Amino acid sequence: MALIRKGSVVMYDRLIDKIKEYETIVIHRHIQPDLDALGSQLGMKALIESNFSDKTVHVLGENNEFSWIGTMDEVDDAVFNDALAIVLDVAGKERVSDQRFLSTKEKIVVDHHRNDSDFADIFIGDPEKIATCEMLVEMIEKHDLKVSKEAATYILSGLITDSGRFLYPQTTAYTFSASFLMRKGADLQYIYNNLYQVDYNFQRLKGYFIHNFKQTPNNVAYMKNSSHLKDEYDVTTFTVSRGMVNQMAGIKGIDIWANFTETDTGDIQCELRSKSVPIVDIAKKYGGGGHDLACGCTAQSWEDVDNIIEDLDAIAERIKQNG
Ligand SMILES: [Mn+2]
């Protein structure tokens, strides 16, 4: 595997060369896509179509509640055999949506997570970027690529969401240098109009979380959700898990918060968050990973969950002692 890390001047050259080399390109991203996954995927497709002629480009994976940004293609298995796969916003094989990417000729990963890849032929990684879409911004700049109105909207949507609407501390001047996307016609109103619409059931579930979360002795906020909760509120496990974790964010005196959600198969999805002190080592200890301040893992039992909560509480205790 060729590993291309941040700082390399040729960072996106290999990717551009490979795009030129192939006629058919399939673009994948992680399961349960967020807007950075979808925005970078659809953005990459739009960029290839505007800048490289005669390419057939397909976007693959499941559609979900973010499909207002764009929908996926349906293709035959045969398409993959001679194709180049570009995999975005994910580096681990298991989490790639539509596993047919495995039968492509070559696989390139572009990802801003702090993970290694178990399948990439070329791995372009930059954990300092706030979003995979921000890596696309750099690629556009370095290679002076043409950007359509559509590409600009896709890429901006990923920047907005992975930065928490430009709220998270990893937001930099570079993040705002993507303002050129507005000059390219990015439809900011379309993005925000869709982002700020919530489902009735989502809002009700939010209320449930706000009223019912618990705290450890050192003020780690947490929720333990049985698999029935999603049925009660008629939402997905993902909504209960990832969608609700930040209902415990932004509360004075709570620096760490976590959301534990039982799935239909009985394992427990753990979403761990911290205001400023890294907690990713806890996620890793239990077989997971992610970002320093936003990470997760899958637990096999509620006893494991209690151990995770204890570990988080120990960190919270240290934060308190250090003032
Ligand atoms: Mn991302």
Side-chain angles (χ1 to χ4, degrees):
M1 178 177 80
L3 185 64
I4 306 174
R5 284 288 188 198
K6 187 196 158 45
S8 162
V9 259
V10 295
M11 201 157 173
Y12 298 96
D13 289 11
R14 294 281 300 276
L15 173 61
I16 299 285
D17 288 346
K18 287 294 173 189
I19 290 171
K20 287 177 183 161
E21 195 179 312
Y22 281 83
E23 257 169 49
T24 306
I25 300 164
V26 290
I27 308 179
H28 294 248
R29 39 67 191 173
H30 56 78
I31 50 172
Q32 299 176 331
D34 53 15
L35 276 182
D36 187 36
L38 292 171
S40 58
Q41 182 185 32
L42 293 157
M44 182 66 80
K45 179 181 180 178
L47 287 174
I48 294 171
E49 287 176 343
S50 320
N51 290 278
F52 306 95
S53 51
D54 303 328
K55 304 290 173 192
T56 306
V57 189
H58 304 289
V59 285
L60 284 312
E62 81 272 37
N63 290 304
N64 68 1
E65 73 269 26
F66 296 117
S67 295
W68 50 264
I69 194 73
T71 53
M72 298 295 108
D73 300 320
E74 281 176 26
V75 300
D76 294 333
D77 297 353
V79 163
F80 295 83
N81 300 332
D82 294 314
L84 168 71
I86 301 176
V87 179
L88 298 160
D89 204 38
V90 59
K93 183 159 58 185
E94 296 296 307
R95 293 198 66 243
V96 178
S97 188
D98 197 334
Q99 291 277 308
R100 291 180 294 175
F101 83 99
L102 288 168
S103 56
T104 57
K105 273 198 170 156
E106 273 186 292
K107 298 151 196 71
I108 303 180
V109 167
V110 180
D111 188 19
H112 72 121
H113 296 94
R114 212 173 282 281
N115 299 325
D116 291 324
S117 181
D118 53 0
F119 68 85
D121 297 302
I122 299 171
F123 179 29
I124 305 175
D126 187 355
E128 282 173 33
K129 290 285 190 291
I130 203 163
T132 297
C133 281
E134 200 176 45
M135 297 181 72
L136 265 57
V137 165
E138 189 173 26
M139 184 177 84
I140 291 165
E141 286 180 337
K142 291 248 160 83
H143 289 271
D144 202 17
L145 298 178
K146 286 191 228 94
V147 183
S148 66
K149 179 179 159 60
E150 289 72 28
T153 303
Y154 296 141
I155 294 166
L156 187 61
S157 77
L159 280 175
I160 287 171
T161 49
D162 258 26
S163 68
R165 328 288 200 256
F166 307 111
L167 173 75
Y168 299 152
Q170 298 86 349
T171 305
T172 61
Y174 192 78
T175 315
F176 287 103
S177 75
S179 61
F180 75 85
L181 296 170
M182 292 296 286
R183 284 195 295 278
K184 299 291 180 185
D187 195 341
L188 188 66
Q189 293 312 313
Y190 179 74
I191 297 168
Y192 277 119
N193 285 343
N194 281 284
L195 277 180
Y196 282 97
Q197 290 263 6
V198 298
D199 269 3
Y200 176 62
N201 287 335
F202 184 91
Q203 194 73 350
R204 283 171 61 234
L205 182 61
K206 228 167 120 169
Y208 169 80
F209 262 72
I210 292 166
H211 280 282
N212 291 291
F213 73 82
K214 306 277 187 298
Q215 289 187 62
T216 64
N218 293 293
N219 306 105
V220 172
Y222 66 93
M223 276 290 266
K224 294 178 176 178
N225 313 304
S226 89
S227 62
H228 306 300
L229 189 62
K230 68 169 191 321
D231 306 321
E232 259 171 65
Y233 285 87
D234 196 18
V235 296
T236 62
T237 301
F238 183 73
T239 296
V240 175
S241 176
R242 181 80 61 88
M244 285 295 138
V245 60
N246 280 337
Q247 298 314 319
M248 294 172 277
I251 303 168
K252 276 183 189 166
I254 296 176
D255 292 338
I256 297 174
W257 58 101
N259 193 18
F260 304 96
T261 308
E262 185 186 23
T263 70
D264 285 332
T265 58
D267 51 19
I268 300 153
Q269 287 184 1
C270 312
E271 292 288 348
L272 315 180
R273 299 291 184 274
S274 172
K275 194 169 79 181
S276 51
V277 174
I279 49 164
V280 67
D281 285 344
I282 307 296
K284 284 181 183 163
K285 180 177 168 186
Y286 295 90
H291 302 285
D292 282 351
L293 306 179
C295 48
C297 57
T298 303
Q300 300 309 318
S301 69
W302 289 109
E303 288 75 56
D304 284 348
V305 167
D306 289 334
N307 290 332
I308 294 169
I309 293 171
E310 259 180 50
D311 287 348
L312 292 173
D313 189 59
I315 295 178
E317 189 177 10
R318 282 206 299 279
I319 297 173
K320 279 196 172 171
Q321 279 163 0
N322 298 334

